[in-house]
Amino acid sequence: MARNVEFDESLAIQKAMEVFWKKGYNATSLRDLTDAMQINSSSLYNTIGDKQELFVRCVQHYTDIRKQDWEKRLASKRSPLAVLVDYIHEAVKVIINGEDSCMAVKSAFEVATNDERVKQILAADDQRCYQFLHDLIKKSMDKGEIRNDEDPALLADYFNSTWTGWYESFILHRDPVKIKRMAEYFIRQLTK
């Protein structure tokens, strides 16, 4: 008689996401995934599917976590500029202290160019990030915290693109001071 597959699927997705996040899609083996998820390969295939399907679900899970974080920040009673500055400082900490970088950035370069589903998930995530930044910048302008002669859409696009460059710069140069200085420059430009 076949054994029933019993495991916490959301926990298994979280564990698999952590492996993909650390190693990347191409360097992650099926064995890495099943070990982390504490299931066998037949359970993986019978419940979730293959490695590619699991990766898609992990990227979706990662972007869902980011969406929840942005929603929580937008709902804060704090000054919009303070929320934005904290977000920038936290992004810098992730870049210089987080050995695993940003899964969205890593996935965009490694997988999204060849996988339409991953590309769509990351494009939606990028749009949510843009909207989050735009909303904070616009609210900061409305409160007089940021001068209102700038275009909030352009500033949101600029920051969203710039911080991807900070990741690249840190990967190539491992210079935390450089990243911190770029972040402080960006903040100064916003608040001039």
Side-chain angles (χ1 to χ4, degrees):
M1 180 177 210
R3 197 176 133 228
N4 287 339
V5 178
E6 289 186 31
F7 66 95
D8 181 339
E9 191 170 313
S10 62
L11 180 61
I13 297 287
Q14 175 68 32
K15 295 291 185 186
M17 181 192 78
E18 291 167 7
V19 174
F20 281 129
W21 193 350
K22 183 172 192 63
K23 297 181 90 172
Y25 178 80
N26 292 321
T28 299
S29 70
L30 192 58
R31 176 72 179 234
D32 294 331
L33 295 167
T34 56
D35 285 352
M37 297 166 73
Q38 298 179 335
I39 61 172
N40 62 42
S41 58
S42 62
S43 294
L44 172 64
Y45 286 114
N46 290 334
T47 57
I48 295 170
D50 61 6
K51 176 182 168 183
Q52 180 62 27
E53 183 61 32
L54 177 59
F55 183 74
V56 169
R57 298 215 13 217
C58 289
V59 171
Q60 184 65 61
H61 179 66
Y62 178 81
T63 62
D64 289 345
I65 292 168
R66 287 167 46 107
K67 178 182 176 189
Q68 291 169 3
D69 177 64
W70 294 327
E71 289 170 349
K72 181 180 173 185
R73 290 173 192 268
L74 282 172
S76 172
K77 301 294 183 206
R78 297 176 51 228
S79 141
L81 180 60
V83 173
L84 179 60
V85 169
D86 284 352
Y87 183 73
I88 292 168
H89 287 144
E90 287 175 29
V92 168
K93 284 180 190 172
V94 167
I95 291 167
I96 64 177
N97 297 327
E99 59 189 55
D100 299 330
S101 180
C102 173
M103 187 174 178
V105 172
K106 288 171 83 170
S107 299
F109 288 106
E110 184 181 16
V111 181
T113 56
N114 298 316
D115 186 304
E116 192 59 36
R117 290 188 305 163
V118 171
K119 183 178 179 179
Q120 289 174 358
I121 292 167
L122 293 176
D125 179 69
D126 184 69
Q127 181 58 38
R128 283 190 299 270
C129 184
Y130 161 83
Q131 195 62 55
F132 163 73
L133 295 168
H134 178 276
D135 291 353
L136 283 178
I137 292 166
K138 180 74 172 101
K139 288 178 182 179
S140 295
M141 287 177 171
D142 293 345
K143 288 188 170 242
E145 299 174 320
I146 295 177
R147 66 182 198 276
N148 63 0
D149 62 338
E150 295 285 352
D151 177 7
L154 177 62
L155 289 173
D157 274 334
Y158 180 76
F159 177 64
N160 211 12
S161 298
T162 298
W163 88 316
T164 301
W166 295 350
Y167 275 108
E168 178 186 12
S169 178
F170 190 73
I171 289 167
L172 297 175
H173 305 289
R174 293 287 181 210
D175 185 350
V177 173
K178 183 178 188 177
I179 305 306
K180 290 176 184 177
R181 289 182 67 221
M182 287 189 283
E184 291 307 317
Y185 177 78
F186 181 72
I187 292 167
R188 279 195 314 274
Q189 295 307 305
L190 280 175
T191 56
K192 271 188 174 179

